[in-house]
Amino acid sequence: MTVLVGPNTKVVVQGITGREGSFHTQRMLEYGTKVVAGVTPGKGGTTVHGVPVYDTVEEAVRRHGANASVIFVPARFAANAVLEAVDAGVELVVVITEHIPVHETLRAVNYARSRGVTVIGPNCPGLVAPPVRTKLGIMPNNIYQTPGKIAVVSRSGTLTYEISYQLVRTGFGINIAIGVGGDPVVGLDLAEAALRVAQDPDVEGIVVIGEVGGDAEERLAKMYAEGAINKPMAAYVAGRTAPPGKRMGHAGAIVMLGSGDAKSKIEAFRAVGIPVADTPFEVPQLMARQLKR
Amino acid sequence: MKLHEYEAKELFSKYGVKIPPGRVATTPEEVRKIAEEIGGPVVLKAQVVVAGRGKAGGIKVAKTPEEAYELATKMFGMNIKGLVVKKIYVTKYVEVDREMYLSLIIDRATRRYLFLASPIGGVDIEEIAKTQPEKIKRVYVDPSVGLRDYHVRSIVLWLGFKPETAQWRQTSSIVQAMYNIMVDYDAELVESNPLAVTKEGDVIPLDARVIVDDNALYKHPELEKALEEDPRDVTEFEMYAKKIGFHYVELDGDIGIIGNGAGLTMSTMDLVYHFGGRPANFLDIGGGASRDVVKEALKVLLRHPRVKVIFINIFGGITRADEVAAGVEAALAEEGGTNKKIVVRMKGTNEELGRQMLAKLGIPLYESAEEAAQKAVELARA
């Protein structure tokens, strides 16, 4: 078991017949994920990589007991896809889709939270849990072959893979890696994700990967200082050289209203005793040192 | 998309907010004509979507239509923080008794709408937050609840108005209008700074700013059209980059950066800086990039006059190294070679094949991003 997924996680892929949905369904199956159904309105009755396709999430839940969803549908329909998944009764929704209008995300995410449903994303790589061979997302399978006791929570995609790779290469195993998403509003933010994984008794250490924009890192530092998270942590923050007022690829990665720069995040972490790596490659060293204490 | 002041004020007006009479002009003759129509002193406001245009000479008062004409001839074509003045908003000069601040944004942490209100205004909110943070009132609105009268009441009271006065009612309707604009137009920001009490006792938005979520522009075809006709702060290059499928931000160094994924690309910039170099840009080609995207991205940096060294850092799960190498090859072929140095670090599928392809071009492939970054810095210094 891990905090968000376990051996009983049964996945429905919304937008399974699209290029991305189909490609990543195959990768998820190869990894070991129990993908039990797919949904594309109008394509019910077909199959994708042997997975039966339905017109509604409700059918996928009723026939196969799907309890988690991964969403690949285009931005214009993605917020509705979240609402449909919530109403169909799934417990976890991972939204890969980028470019969803932020007001729609706001409504969908708030609705999901009010119904006790966890949303990861939007605009995220998803999550992967090597101990239970379950991936709801697009992370490369080959990096997540070593189960272990480190949780990685991140606002980035490729940087998560890079740092996970460095961790595995230096002898660590991964319990779970969660990319919370690069949008300004996400279902589970960096601080909340860290809080969740900290509650898992199997997790020994937490690696946090932040970036410019917002104040999730600062809030996380505060939680740590207050004792809400009592696991060894190490951090990295991308964007020390990011100029203010510019969006750095992610919609949420912007230094604005005089806040959200990397310096303030790094200082917030260091002030409460969370070491921050100067480069991604120093993260494993820092983690090792934290675990020895 | 950043709306011009005149566009934002048209929206306010559409939602029933009283604004000083005014129109937008594109020639000095038009400015004179509008000034004549309005009568009395007018304000000329350069329509550029940057903060601080007043200090840069983009806001002038004219007493007569003739003076307005004269001032306009100088203001048109002026460069304000990199943007050329093509439109001037001519509006009636109003005497102001008091300036306030009011804005509406989306708060990430609470996932709610957030009003920021201050009885002092006319300066940047950052400035108020620094010098007099106690003046800023925060009022959160849950999207599922919507704006209610108790929200409005607490804002209007904070701004210093007495219940059931004319000013109270005027300000309340401005708060409501701002909320409606925010929701109806998928805005990221609706701001009135200053929100002013005039000598006559009216409460009016003296300046207005609206930023619309780019991801929602498809729902507002009239705005899409306005952006097409007047791209404002979006450069031709940024439009091109968006079309090809990458994100680009200009920086001031001499080491060009290409990465895949926003976080990794930023971290690549930081790495170069860490080893004593200066990144020239941020260029994120995204996940699973094809050879064409790599080619177009590299061509941008090959043509960049300030770039001496190009550092490509790709961490691919699904991005294939041979595909990246093919993109590099194609870019060099199309540009007829280069005297810039190229350093590549790649992890991913078909790495060995990629290495062989790059070796033929005389480009070494690094396994470690740190080593590659150090090499790039060293080459930039040479």
Side-chain angles (χ1 to χ4, degrees), chain A residues 57-246:
Chain A
V57 180
E58 184 268 327
E59 271 179 284
V61 169
R62 183 160 39 86
R63 289 174 190 252
H64 300 277
N67 52 15
S69 163
V70 187
I71 293 177
F72 288 97
V73 309
R76 293 181 190 201
F77 314 109
N80 271 353
V82 175
L83 300 175
E84 183 184 351
V86 172
D87 280 345
V90 308
E91 294 152 15
L92 172 68
V93 180
V94 176
V95 191
I96 308 297
T97 311
E98 191 180 353
H99 301 306
I100 302 176
V102 66
H103 287 260
E104 292 186 20
T105 299
L106 203 58
R107 283 189 287 266
V109 158
N110 277 315
Y111 180 64
R113 289 170 70 99
S114 76
R115 306 298 297 262
V117 175
T118 301
V119 175
I120 309 287
N123 188 13
C124 79
L127 66 91
V128 56
V132 287
R133 300 289 311 176
T134 297
K135 178 176 82 163
L136 282 74
I138 60 171
M139 285 102 159
N141 291 351
N142 58 342
I143 296 166
Y144 296 97
Q145 296 297 324
T146 317
K149 297 184 179 301
I150 301 295
V152 180
V153 292
S154 173
R155 288 177 58 200
S156 166
T158 37
L159 191 54
T160 313
Y161 318 157
E162 170 86 86
I163 290 175
S164 298
Y165 170 73
Q166 301 301 336
L167 284 164
V168 169
R169 211 171 65 115
T170 47
F172 287 101
I174 308 251
N175 173 273
I176 193 166
I178 307 171
V180 299
D183 276 2
V185 174
V186 291
L188 192 72
D189 70 25
L190 194 70
E192 293 164 335
L195 195 60
R196 286 278 188 103
V197 299
Q199 275 144 21
D200 188 336
D202 289 342
V203 169
E204 277 182 0
I206 304 169
V207 168
V208 177
I209 306 169
E211 67 182 26
V212 292
D215 68 345
E217 291 82 356
E218 285 86 344
R219 283 183 282 117
L220 170 51
K222 192 159 168 272
M223 281 182 191
Y224 183 81
E226 289 166 355
I229 298 172
N230 58 356
K231 296 272 164 85
M233 293 183 78
Y236 175 76
V237 179
R240 292 175 198 225
T241 52
K246 294 282 182 186

Side-chain angles (χ1 to χ4, degrees), chain B residues 275-288:
Chain B
F275 288 116
R278 293 187 63 82
N281 69 288
F282 164 96
L283 198 167
D284 167 18
I285 58 170

Side-chain angles (χ1 to χ4, degrees), chain B residues 171-244:
Chain B
T171 313
S172 298
S173 70
I174 292 173
V175 173
Q176 185 69 55
M178 286 173 69
Y179 183 81
N180 291 347
I181 291 170
M182 183 83 172
V183 175
D184 294 352
Y185 282 86
D186 288 277
E188 292 173 354
L189 168 80
V190 180
E191 182 186 73
S192 175
N193 185 27
L195 177 66
V197 181
T198 67
K199 280 271 191 284
E200 286 89 48
D202 274 326
V203 183
I204 56 160
L206 216 51
D207 195 358
R209 275 212 302 162
V210 173
I211 302 176
V212 175
D213 178 6
D214 287 331
N215 290 334
L217 274 184
Y218 73 91
K219 297 186 200 172
H220 310 284
E222 74 286 6
L223 294 180
E224 267 185 323
K225 194 163 156 265
L227 184 64
E228 206 173 289
E229 285 165 2
D230 175 3
R232 41 211 91 195
D233 63 336
V234 184
T235 63
E236 217 169 291
F237 179 69
E238 280 167 334
M239 277 192 277
Y240 164 78
K242 202 176 163 193
K243 203 177 108 212
I244 300 291

Side-chain angles (χ1 to χ4, degrees), chain B residues 115-363:
Chain B
F115 276 101
L116 298 170
S118 157
I120 52 166
V123 288
D124 284 354
I125 186 70
E126 288 92 336
E127 189 58 36
I128 305 171
K130 222 180 286 166
T131 55
Q132 290 172 282
E134 74 286 351
K135 295 279 188 204
I136 301 174
K137 171 127 186 131
R138 290 174 167 76
V139 176
Y140 295 89
V141 181
D142 192 303
S144 63
V145 172
L147 187 71
R148 302 284 165 146
D149 62 356
Y150 62 89
H151 298 123
V152 180
R153 211 184 308 141
S154 81
I155 293 166
V156 179
L157 212 51
W158 184 259
L159 291 175
F161 298 102
K162 293 208 173 60
E164 300 317 319
T165 57
Q167 289 183 345
W168 171 280
R169 281 188 292 273
Q170 256 183 338
T171 313
S172 298
S173 70
I174 292 173
V175 173
Q176 185 69 55
M178 286 173 69
Y179 183 81
N180 291 347
I181 291 170
M182 183 83 172
V183 175
D184 294 352
Y185 282 86
D186 288 277
E188 292 173 354
L189 168 80
V190 180
E191 182 186 73
S192 175
N193 185 27
L195 177 66
V197 181
T198 67
K199 280 271 191 284
E200 286 89 48
D202 274 326
V203 183
I204 56 160
L206 216 51
D207 195 358
R209 275 212 302 162
V210 173
I211 302 176
V212 175
D213 178 6
D214 287 331
N215 290 334
L217 274 184
Y218 73 91
K219 297 186 200 172
H220 310 284
E222 74 286 6
L223 294 180
E224 267 185 323
K225 194 163 156 265
L227 184 64
E228 206 173 289
E229 285 165 2
D230 175 3
R232 41 211 91 195
D233 63 336
V234 184
T235 63
E236 217 169 291
F237 179 69
E238 280 167 334
M239 277 192 277
Y240 164 78
K242 202 176 163 193
K243 203 177 108 212
I244 300 291
F246 56 77
H247 295 281
Y248 186 94
V249 177
E250 188 73 34
L251 303 168
D252 57 9
D254 55 7
I255 301 178
I257 307 285
I258 296 176
N260 63 328
L264 184 74
T265 309
M266 269 192 274
S267 136
T268 308
M269 282 160 36
D270 295 351
L271 202 56
V272 161
Y273 188 78
H274 178 73
F275 288 116
R278 293 187 63 82
N281 69 288
F282 164 96
L283 198 167
D284 167 18
I285 58 170
S290 70
R291 71 178 68 188
D292 282 340
V293 174
V294 174
K295 183 186 80 180
E296 295 304 326
L298 183 55
K299 273 163 68 180
V300 167
L301 295 189
L302 286 171
R303 289 176 190 174
H304 197 303
R306 211 177 45 240
V307 168
K308 285 204 266 182
V309 178
I310 298 165
F311 177 18
I312 304 176
N313 185 14
I314 306 289
F315 193 93
I318 41 178
T319 308
R320 280 163 40 198
D322 54 323
E323 194 71 12
V324 175
V328 172
E329 194 179 352
L332 287 172
E334 282 184 26
E335 293 295 299
T338 180
N339 49 13
K340 299 183 197 298
K341 300 277 186 288
I342 302 175
V343 176
V344 182
R345 181 266 179 157
M346 242 178 344
K347 280 300 300 171
T349 317
N350 296 350
E351 211 174 295
E352 196 42 48
L353 189 58
R355 182 189 306 279
Q356 286 164 15
M357 289 167 71
L358 288 175
K360 278 188 200 145
L361 301 167
I363 299 170

